[in-house]
Amino acid sequence: MPGTYTDVLIGRQDEIRRLDGLLRAAREGRGGALVLRGEPGIGKSALLRNLDGAATGFLVMRASGAEFEMELPFAALHQLLAPVTGRLMALPAPHRKALEIAFGLDTGTPDPFLVGVASLGLLVETVRERPLLCVVDDAQWLDQASAKALAFLARRVSAESIALVFAAREPGPPHELDGLPGHSLRGLGESDARALLTAAIRAPLDERVRDRILAEARGNPLALVELPRTAGLAGMAGGFAQPDSVPGVIEQSFRSRLELLPPSARLLVTIAAADPIGDPGLLWRAAEFLGIDATAAAESVPLVEFGTRIRFSHPLARSAAYRAAGPEERRRAHEALAAVTDPVTDPDRRAWHRAQASAGPDEQVAAELEASATRARERGGVAAAAAFLERSAALTISPRRRAERVLAAVRAKLSVGDFDAAADLLTTVTTDDPGQAARADLLRGRLSFVRRRGDEGPTAYLLRAAARLATTDPAWSRECYLDAIEMGLLLGGLDHVVEAAGKAPPSLRRPESGAAAVLTGLISLVSDGHPAAGKILGPVVGDVDDEVWARRPSLGFMLAIELWNFDAMRSIAARAVTAGRVAGSFHALPIGLSMKATATVHTGDFGAAMELISEQEAIADATGAAPLVYPRLHLAALRGRREDAVALFASVDHRMSLSAQWATAVLSNGLADYPAALRAAKQAVEYGAVSTAGLALPELVEAATRCGETEVAAEALAALRERTQAGRQPWGLGVEACARALVTEDESAYQEAIDLLDDGALVVYRARAHLLYGEWLRRRGRRRDARSALRLAHESLSDLGVEAFAERAAGELRATGEKARSRTSKASDQLTMQEVHIAGLVADGATSKEVAAKLFLSPRTVDAHLRNIFRKLGLTSRRQLRELPDIR
């Protein structure tokens, strides 16, 4: 067993034991991650250095964030993986290409999460030989692309011999690593602080001086060492002004030593501080450019190690050196670095140095930064693009061009979630151009939507943009009005938005089609009702290949439900999934998967729906986004497992409350708890939300008739009929016929419903129609006919796994004197949603490596899931899994 290092650092035994445990677990194939947090000088870097000594038998890979490299995408990830990039050929071609693009070895646009998967694959290939320790210091300065990839890695090494340890400053802004296990380092206790001070200062100390040092350092180890150097022991005895913070003490100590240097040496240190690469060749060329005798100057410089890499003794030493220099000295350093940086191999770093060297507006430098932004965006560095564009705008002379670059920077900052910076930038936009002003309003609308705060709601900004464009660009104006209505559907206040949209410029095309028809139809829906709107919306919703649904699949999906057009609902969802996969968009794909899962739930194919939900949630987990919960609501409602469903419904936030009310109504009807169904359905219907209210109407009819609320049932039937007649689709007409049968007790309406729902995709609704018909027959004393209908309902609902309604059918069958057959449990009943997905993929022949890539897991994690699946199902091999009839 390798030795530990518990005796090396004073007062850090708990942290050392925790790090030892992380290494021990990694050796045993139980990888993990830890983020050490604390103020500068608290001992994070010292713990990392000592961790290296304990990692006997590990391959240790290191990276460090750099304040001046935060704008360069994947810089830190490339630094970390550099020792193992020789194994790139072992990766699947798409993964290899993603890393090659990210590291500048190929051209193209890398998907950041494919980069994460590829990085995991590279580490898995490496760990076959020996365990890995990945150490990342100054993680608060990681570029965003690297931070996302490393956070992704850290969440997926639990079944690998890989340990990741990060060190980051605290406090700090929100960071990609915030969700990982962490430990905050606090100041040393008095006895440990005294012991460290005694070890650091060998000379005898007056007790007053010792007490003064201990009081000012506040347990910070580096401050305990540096404080006497700042004020001197005599100064400590005599007293001095208390600095603003402990990091201020440390930085002042570093600065006081630098102030003693001759001018040429100070300028050399400034150049070194301004260049985060640490390339000595670059430093010597820049020094020569400024006429500095670098060899002589380097001999007298403290805090900096001039070797094969230029290294500062501490990150605060670099920042102290940079801040100690005056503005003109910093500009000279950047000018020299720009002059000696290769414009072909490193144009972005050269442009950045030129920008820092500029004392005022410079269009040439601004154009170079704009080009750098384009390159950064192509490599997946949206945060870098935003930084380049912001600086480019600051250096731009032309007001129109400056506004253009600011707007581009705002878009980039919104894309990376830097909402406060985006809002600040938007306040600087002044323009007389209607198009630019409209785009600024559209960005304000997006910002208002994501922040959910501000004086004006998102729709108000969209409407203002639409009004600005009404005369100069009518087509774009109508698009903005449609965006406002779509947002109104999501956020409420639709009536006001539609009233404003009534002023939209008329479409020049007659008859209207695509987005123009959708806008007109939505205005008509609110103003004139479903019959009039159906004539406009019906054809465009039915044309699932219309380009309007490529841009607005969610709107098309909601309108398909509103018009009870199941084919359109399913097709728009399928198209969205295909488009998301082709584009490799981890924003669009989860939306498509969620819509397709919802449609699939309503066909009764719960296994396929679970696989789609699992994939959507895997992407959400990988990207750090919140998973879309509405497919789970639909699944839980129809599956009818009370405990699971109730827990899920209670967990959703207020934005999903209407969907949860619809789901509660379905579940309660299945459980024959009609009063609860009535309450929930009423709430879902009363709000009037597109799609949700329509789906809730048949549930309201069923619950109201069972509760004797005949007027409520009749009103709900009338509202349902308005919608289904507008769409004239078998799904809607069949559901309406069934609801009509409940209200009128007309037997022919039950038969009409069963005939209209005679479609494999509508089997759940057909089975429910049989159940309602059988119940009606039994209550009429026609037991033989009732048995036939109820038997069909029970068998169908049981086979599908619609458990609550199946049990309700079984109870009705028993009331007729017939015993219902017991439901044969499916293999998937015993598995979690993710296990169902993995089992299905493996049963289709996928290897662990292929499953891992699809679900953003490590192959060993997949194997661990497979062991659980085999245990639950009593299997011993993949072949047996493939032979299970109900697993795929």
Side-chain angles (χ1 to χ4, degrees):
M1 177 72 184
T4 64
Y5 48 104
T6 51
D7 298 324
V8 176
L9 295 174
I10 294 174
R12 295 300 182 203
Q13 284 72 30
D14 289 344
E15 289 81 3
I16 289 167
R17 279 192 290 269
R18 184 161 182 179
L19 289 168
D20 263 341
L22 190 70
L23 291 181
R24 187 165 53 252
R27 285 190 182 95
E28 297 168 358
R30 296 178 288 110
L34 182 67
V35 183
L36 297 173
R37 296 185 174 89
E39 65 179 15
I42 202 68
K44 304 182 298 295
S45 298
L47 281 167
L48 295 187
R49 285 193 297 271
N50 279 276
L51 180 62
D52 280 0
T56 307
F58 279 74
L59 171 62
V60 181
M61 298 161 57
R62 301 175 185 83
S64 181
E67 188 174 8
F68 307 114
E69 283 201 327
M70 291 180 71
E71 291 79 20
L72 300 178
F74 298 110
L77 184 67
H78 193 188
Q79 185 184 357
L80 181 74
L81 298 181
V84 296
T85 51
R87 300 176 184 271
L88 280 172
M89 293 308 294
L91 299 181
H95 296 180
R96 181 173 67 250
K97 185 173 179 65
L99 280 182
E100 288 173 344
I101 294 171
F103 296 161
L105 305 174
D106 200 348
T107 58
T109 303
D111 186 283
F113 301 106
L114 195 57
V115 169
V117 176
S119 301
L120 178 61
L122 197 59
L123 295 186
V124 168
E125 289 296 326
T126 305
V127 82
R128 297 180 193 280
E129 299 175 3
R130 53 177 165 159
L132 291 179
L133 170 63
C134 301
V135 177
V136 181
D137 203 354
D138 284 325
Q140 75 280 354
W141 287 333
L142 290 173
D143 63 275
Q144 189 178 57
S146 292
K148 280 182 178 292
L150 290 169
F152 175 92
L153 282 176
R155 292 195 296 267
R156 280 162 178 78
V157 297
S158 59
E160 303 292 340
S161 295
I162 301 172
L164 293 96
V165 182
F166 303 86
R169 285 190 188 179
E170 188 180 55
H175 198 275
E176 297 290 341
L177 306 180
D178 286 350
L180 300 180
H183 179 80
S184 294
L185 274 70
R186 303 304 178 199
L188 299 178
E190 184 174 352
S191 61
D192 288 327
R194 283 180 177 274
L196 177 59
L197 186 59
T198 299
I201 301 177
R202 300 293 183 180
L205 282 179
D206 181 276
E207 197 60 32
R208 289 176 301 167
V209 174
R210 186 187 304 277
D211 290 345
R212 182 71 173 170
I213 295 173
L214 292 171
E216 296 294 348
R218 285 170 266 175
N220 185 291
L222 190 57
L224 285 164
V225 175
E226 293 294 333
L227 196 54
R229 292 178 177 171
T230 305
L233 297 184
M236 293 300 300
F240 57 90
Q242 183 171 321
D244 293 334
S245 64
V246 170
V249 172
I250 300 167
E251 191 164 321
Q252 179 56 43
S253 172
F254 293 146
R255 291 180 68 164
S256 65
R257 278 186 265 173
L258 294 171
E259 287 168 359
L260 301 175
L261 296 176
S264 60
R266 277 206 310 272
L267 186 54
L268 182 68
V269 173
T270 303
I271 298 169
D275 168 42
I277 304 175
D279 178 0
L282 193 69
L283 178 67
W284 304 141
R285 292 197 301 275
E288 184 180 358
F289 179 85
L290 293 175
I292 299 171
D293 183 350
T295 303
E299 290 178 355
S300 62
V301 173
L303 306 177
V304 187
E305 176 188 334
F306 297 95
T308 55
R309 305 294 291 176
I310 308 299
R311 300 183 188 278
F312 280 78
S313 61
H314 191 275
L316 282 177
R318 177 190 291 277
S319 59
Y322 192 75
R323 293 188 178 95
E328 181 57 33
E329 203 170 31
R330 288 199 291 267
R331 279 197 293 271
R332 288 183 67 197
H334 284 293
E335 181 183 18
L337 288 166
V340 299
T341 298
D342 192 320
V344 176
T345 61
D346 210 350
D348 299 334
R349 203 179 302 275
R350 179 177 180 272
W352 189 251
H353 282 307
R354 289 196 68 192
Q356 302 307 311
S358 299
D362 187 321
E363 180 54 38
Q364 184 182 7
V365 177
E368 287 183 19
L369 287 168
E370 189 172 34
S372 293
T374 300
R375 285 190 293 271
R377 192 182 297 110
E378 289 173 350
R379 289 182 57 205
V382 184
F388 284 130
L389 286 165
E390 184 177 4
R391 182 62 175 155
S392 174
L395 298 177
T396 302
I397 299 171
S398 162
R400 178 181 171 83
R401 191 170 293 168
R402 182 168 59 250
E404 199 70 25
R405 286 167 176 164
V406 169
L407 290 172
V410 171
R411 280 197 302 274
K413 287 186 179 294
L414 276 172
S415 297
V416 298
D418 193 353
F419 303 140
D420 290 339
D424 289 343
L425 272 177
L426 269 174
T427 63
T428 69
V429 176
T430 54
T431 178
D432 296 327
D433 181 86
Q436 287 184 335
R439 277 162 42 214
D441 278 331
L442 293 174
L443 290 169
R444 291 185 184 100
R446 280 183 59 191
L447 185 61
S448 177
F449 178 73
V450 296
R451 297 171 92 186
R452 298 294 174 93
R453 66 177 189 265
D455 295 332
E456 297 185 76
T459 52
Y461 291 114
L462 297 180
L463 291 173
R464 193 164 73 190
R468 290 184 192 277
L469 296 166
T471 55
T472 58
D473 196 333
W476 189 7
S477 173
R478 289 178 65 83
E479 290 278 349
C480 290
Y481 278 119
L482 185 54
D483 288 338
I485 290 178
E486 186 172 9
M487 194 164 287
L489 289 171
L490 296 172
L491 300 181
L494 184 60
D495 289 349
H496 165 71
V497 178
V498 167
E499 182 183 350
K503 302 171 185 175
S507 173
L508 299 179
R509 295 185 61 181
R510 286 290 183 270
E512 290 182 328
S513 62
V518 174
L519 176 60
T520 301
L522 284 168
I523 293 172
S524 177
L525 181 65
V526 174
S527 304
D528 309 316
H530 286 80
K535 295 175 182 177
I536 304 167
L537 290 172
V540 70
V541 169
D543 184 5
V544 296
D545 294 324
D546 195 301
E547 279 307 300
V548 68
W549 308 133
R551 182 177 171 189
R552 295 182 172 86
S554 296
L555 179 60
F557 190 75
M558 287 192 292
L559 289 176
I561 296 174
E562 187 71 7
L563 296 178
W564 290 86
N565 187 333
F566 191 83
D567 288 340
M569 173 187 172
R570 188 167 50 172
S571 298
I572 289 171
R575 183 183 181 186
V577 170
T578 301
R581 291 200 195 284
V582 170
S585 170
F586 286 117
H587 168 70
L589 181 55
I591 295 172
L593 290 167
S594 296
M595 293 191 300
K596 188 173 181 180
T598 302
T600 304
V601 165
H602 286 266
T603 68
D605 191 350
F606 296 163
M610 290 168 72
E611 291 186 13
L612 292 163
I613 293 170
S614 173
E615 184 177 356
Q616 180 261 130
E617 292 179 348
I619 293 171
D621 181 57
T623 60
L628 297 170
V629 74
Y630 66 87
R632 274 188 179 266
L633 291 173
H634 284 255
L635 177 62
L638 283 172
R639 205 174 187 188
R641 295 180 177 179
R642 184 199 295 267
E643 290 186 10
D644 294 346
V646 170
L648 175 64
F649 301 164
S651 70
V652 301
D653 63 31
H654 68 281
R655 287 171 293 180
M656 288 271 78
S657 59
L658 291 175
S659 293
Q661 292 298 341
W662 166 82
T664 300
V666 175
L667 175 69
S668 299
N669 274 331
L671 296 169
D673 185 355
Y674 301 116
L678 181 64
R679 288 192 299 272
K682 276 184 176 180
Q683 290 184 47
V685 169
E686 283 170 2
Y687 190 80
V690 171
S691 76
T692 307
L695 276 181
L697 283 169
E699 306 304 329
L700 179 56
V701 172
E702 184 171 340
T705 55
R706 292 292 188 252
C707 292
E709 298 273 0
T710 55
E711 288 187 13
V712 172
E715 289 175 6
L717 173 62
L720 177 63
R721 183 175 174 79
E722 247 196 15
R723 287 166 167 80
T724 58
Q725 289 297 316
R728 301 293 304 170
Q729 295 295 316
W731 182 28
L733 295 174
V735 167
E736 184 271 330
C738 197
R740 178 164 26 96
L742 282 168
V743 173
T744 65
E745 301 199 56
D746 179 358
E747 184 173 4
S748 66
Y750 283 118
Q751 294 290 352
E752 180 186 350
I754 290 167
D755 291 341
L756 285 166
L757 297 171
D758 188 17
D759 181 323
L762 304 174
V763 61
V764 174
Y765 292 89
R766 182 180 171 87
R768 286 186 66 181
H770 276 299
L771 171 59
L772 291 170
Y773 183 34
E775 289 174 332
W776 183 83
L777 288 168
R778 187 183 72 78
R779 285 163 177 75
R780 291 292 177 279
R782 295 164 57 181
R783 299 177 71 178
R784 179 178 296 178
D785 293 337
R787 285 192 197 107
S788 176
L790 291 169
R791 195 181 303 117
L792 285 170
H794 180 258
E795 289 175 357
S796 181
L797 293 166
S798 294
D799 290 343
L800 292 169
V802 185
E803 296 179 15
F805 283 102
E807 182 54 36
R808 183 172 134 191
E812 290 287 335
L813 263 179
R814 286 192 293 270
T816 68
E818 180 172 322
K819 184 178 180 180
R821 69 170 173 85
S822 299
R823 176 178 179 263
T824 304
S825 66
K826 295 183 177 181
S828 58
D829 291 345
Q830 305 171 57
L831 306 180
T832 67
M833 201 167 293
Q834 188 178 54
E835 288 170 348
V836 168
H837 195 184
I838 291 171
L841 292 171
V842 171
D844 283 334
T847 65
S848 293
K849 206 170 185 179
E850 291 166 341
V851 175
K854 188 176 183 68
L855 297 184
F856 311 103
L857 302 169
S858 78
R860 288 190 185 179
T861 300
V862 173
D863 288 338
H865 281 300
L866 272 175
R867 287 193 292 273
N868 283 336
I869 292 167
F870 289 167
R871 177 179 53 77
K872 290 180 179 181
L873 302 182
L875 307 178
T876 58
S877 70
R878 293 175 183 240
R879 179 185 58 77
Q880 290 175 318
L881 186 62
R882 285 193 292 271
E883 291 172 355
L884 283 178
D886 59 351
I887 202 65
R888 283 181 284 182

